[in-house]
Amino acid sequence: PLMRVSLTCDERPDGVELECECLLLALGRTANVESMGLEDADVEFDPARGVLVDDYARSVSNPNVYAVGDCVANVPRLTHVSGEMAKVVVQNSLFEGQWKLSSFVVMHCDLKR
C-alpha cells in the first residue's frame, strides 16, 4: 500500500483505518433542484434526491425533458458518471438512441459496516 488513511465520523467515533494504493473521496453532494420551476414543466423530483428519471435519462413525468449529473435521483454523484450520462442524453435525444443508464458499471465501496 502507498498510503494509510484514518477516518472518523459520527457513525464511527472509534475510527477506521485503511491501507490503499489510492483514495477517491466525494462527500456532501446533494441535488439542488428546488425553486427551478420544475413543477411548471411537469418534471417530477424529490427535493432531497433530485429529478426522477427513467433508464434513458428522461424525466418520468415529462419524457421531453432529460436530466444528467448531480441533479438526478438515484445515481452516483461522481464527475465521470455525469459525463457518461451526458453521452446517453446526446445519443437518445439527438440520434434516437436507446442507451441505458442501467448499462453503467460503477465501482464503489461503502465504509459502513
Side-chain angles (χ1 to χ4, degrees):
L2 294 175
M3 66 179 82
R4 178 173 287 141
V5 179
S6 298
L7 306 169
T8 59
C9 60
D10 292 340
E11 291 82 15
R12 298 292 301 267
D14 57 328
V16 175
E17 194 164 295
L18 304 172
E19 290 185 355
C20 53
E21 298 294 325
C22 65
L23 178 67
L24 169 65
L25 190 61
L27 301 171
R29 290 185 177 203
T30 59
N32 184 12
V33 295
E34 292 184 278
S35 303
M36 291 179 61
L38 294 175
E39 303 90 347
D40 296 334
D42 191 31
V43 174
E44 190 175 342
F45 68 95
D46 179 303
R49 297 183 304 137
V51 176
L52 304 176
V53 298
D54 65 14
D55 205 19
Y56 301 99
R58 298 177 302 204
S59 164
V60 296
S61 55
N62 183 347
N64 295 315
V65 174
Y66 290 81
V68 300
D70 296 349
C71 71
V72 177
N74 304 321
V75 297
R77 289 186 165 89
L78 301 169
T79 301
H80 64 285
V81 172
S82 297
E84 293 303 310
M85 290 178 75
K87 292 177 189 178
V88 168
V89 168
V90 167
Q91 289 299 318
N92 292 348
S93 65
L94 300 178
F95 301 108
E96 299 179 14
Q98 294 294 306
W99 292 20
K100 294 184 176 186
L101 299 177
S102 62
S103 68
F104 290 1
V105 176
V106 180
M107 301 297 290
H108 70 282
C109 66
D110 188 350
L111 296 177
K112 298 176 186 175
R113 294 183 192 201

